[in-house]
Structure formats: C-alpha cells, structure tokens
Amino acid sequence: MQNISEEWRDPASRDGEGHGDGAQGKPHADAERETLMMELTRLVQKSVRESSWWERRGIDCSILTAAFISLPAGFLLLGSSQPLYFLLGLLIMGIAHAVITVKGTHLSSHGALSESPAWTDFWAVFFIEVCGSFSARAGVHAHVKMHHAHTNVIGLGDSSTWKIPFLPRSIYLFIAPLAVPIITPIVAIGQLKGQSPFQIVRTVLCVCLGFFSQYYLLRCVSGLSCSSALVVMLLCRAMFSLPYIHVNIFQHIGLAMFSASQRPKRIFQMTHGVLNLPRNPLLDWTFGHSLISCHVEHHLFPFLSDNMCLKVKPIVSRYLKEKKLPYLEDGYVSRLHLFFHKYQELMVFAPPITELVGIQ
C-alpha cells in the first residue's frame, strides 16, 4: 500500500502497458495515441505545478476537517429531547459520515491527501479502516490496482462486484443499499483471507475502534440507550447509501467494456468507459468532485485531489473535444431512469465486449 500516489504519477507512461494484439502492427497509430495522452498529461501537470498547496490539497483537507469539527455539535444535538434538534443532529452526523467515509477514504486510497508515503499509509488506514470499517489493503487493491488499472475490462475492473443479479430492480436500486453499513464490515472480514497476521489484527482493531468510539459517544455524550445508539448509527451510516451505490454503477456500467487481450490505449479506454454526472452541490461536496462531476478527469489522472480534478476539468474537456474524443456526461435522473428500465440488460446479463474499430 506504500507510495499509492506514485503508482499513478505519470499516467501517460502506462499507456503502452497491458494491451493485446489489437494494437500490434500499427506503430504510427500507437505513437499518435501515446502522444495524445502525453500531450494532455503535460497540460494537466502544468496546471498542477502552477497551483498552490491550498488548491492541490488544502481545500479538500479543510472539507474533511470541517466534517470532524461538526461531529461534537451532532452528538450534542442527538441528545436533545426536541425532535427538530434531534433531526438536525442526525443530519449533521449523516453528512459528516458521508464526507469522512466516502470522500476521505477515496482520497486517501489514491494518496491524494499527502505527498509523504508514511502519511499516505497512515491516512489510508485511518479513513478506510477506522472510519470506513473496511480493510485498507483490500480496498486499495480493489479500487486502485484493479478498478483504475483495468477500467471496464471484463473480469478485472468491470464493476461487476456491484451487481447482485438475483435482486429485483426496485429492491436493488432503492432498498438494498440501506444495508451497506451492515454489509461493509462483513465483506471486510472476508477480505482478510491471505493477509498477514499483523494486517488482520490491525484491521480488526481499527474497525472495532471506529465502531465502538461512535457507539460510546452516542451513549455518553448524546445520552442514548443501547438500542437507540445502534439505530442512530445505522441511520447515519445509511443516509447516503442510495446515491453511493447509484454513483458507483452509473458511471461505468452500460458504457464500453473491453476484453483483457484487446483493450485500447489508456486515453481511449477512459474516454469511452467513464462518465461524468452534472455538478451537484450536495454530492460534489460530500462524495467529492472526482466521484461525481469530474470522474473522467479522475480516471485519467487518479493522483489528483477533488479540487484539482475540478480545476483541470475545463482543460481535459476542451482537449478531448478538440481531438474528437468522447467526453461522456449524463444526468443523475437520466441514468436512474436508464438503469430502472434496462435493469436486466445492465445488471443481470453479461455485458457485450466493445471493439473500437479503427483505434484497436
């Protein structure tokens, strides 16, 4: 899990890796495609170099800090006998939990919170295990080394882990996500197989620390009973589960899918297999721009923070459009409508493999 950000520091250098026979025998075309990614990388890196620390990391660190600072108010309000104050406390806790466990875990998994390898590892363990109740090693492997390295490649990074074919569409889209807080630590236990004794003990202790810390504070600060504290924990942790599941399936499933032996070059893989949702004030700030309105930018440059993804968005979109490359965008409601009416095709049946004629 060390040097997570360095693994993606130069996406253009990975452009010629791991591609199948479809790209053989076309040196001039390959050189042109590599030049596209390298040219875009230079434009983005120039913007990054010209940006201050505040732009590169400070804004996102401040949002995460604000989420932690809001927690005492949330705990105190949850102890109120006034329904309005209690609901306000529940809302604060739910939003703070989403910011910490979605935005925080995502940025830390990519090493976007610090340039130091030691701090990168620390923040990954803190956000993913203590706050997110999951294994940091398994989370980084699944997200960074599989999903990002093999985006929309069948059997590797095709987002199939989000599919539960036996569930009816209404249950999957609107009810099952509410069980995410319960399912997450259970899945984490299964992911411990094959890890070292140290990593297993660390993960178990960190997950327990995060869970019982919140439970203790709800009991002692908010004054809730045992059962009430558990219910509040479930409500807070499940508050953003619906959009969390939706976002994870909307931005990849239903787009171009590739075979491991014949995948296109990186810039074509990401522009055909990743989709941006429109700006959403609530989700952009709780989940992060890189998961909502800048997902294409994030997949092209995974080491960037949320704010930097937003800053380079005009550069990336303009460049891709100038080069006649796809820049996929669609609305949240539009994607929900599509998945509801084509649930079998998208979430049950195996996806067709896309062959990009002329660039494969």
Side-chain angles (χ1 to χ4, degrees), residues 229-265:
L230 291 175
V231 170
V232 166
M233 287 178 68
L234 178 61
L235 292 175
C236 292
R237 294 176 178 224
M239 190 174 292
F240 285 84
S241 291
L242 284 175
Y244 175 74
I245 294 297
H246 292 169
V247 165
N248 275 285
I249 63 175
F250 288 174
Q251 294 178 312
H252 293 286
I253 296 176
L255 304 179
M257 292 285 173
F258 312 104
S259 69
S261 61
Q262 289 186 312
R263 69 173 83 182
K265 293 293 183 178

Side-chain angles (χ1 to χ4, degrees), residues 311-347:
K311 183 175 180 178
V312 304
K313 181 182 176 74
I315 298 173
V316 173
S317 62
R318 182 170 58 250
Y319 181 84
L320 295 180
K321 290 172 182 177
E322 286 176 356
K323 300 300 179 181
K324 308 300 182 184
L325 291 170
Y327 187 75
L328 304 179
E329 298 177 288
D330 199 5
Y332 188 103
V333 175
S334 173
R335 296 299 286 175
L336 183 60
H337 183 270
L338 175 69
F339 274 75
F340 185 82
H341 289 284
K342 293 189 176 182
Y343 181 78
Q344 290 282 101
E345 177 184 335
L346 297 173
M347 301 298 292

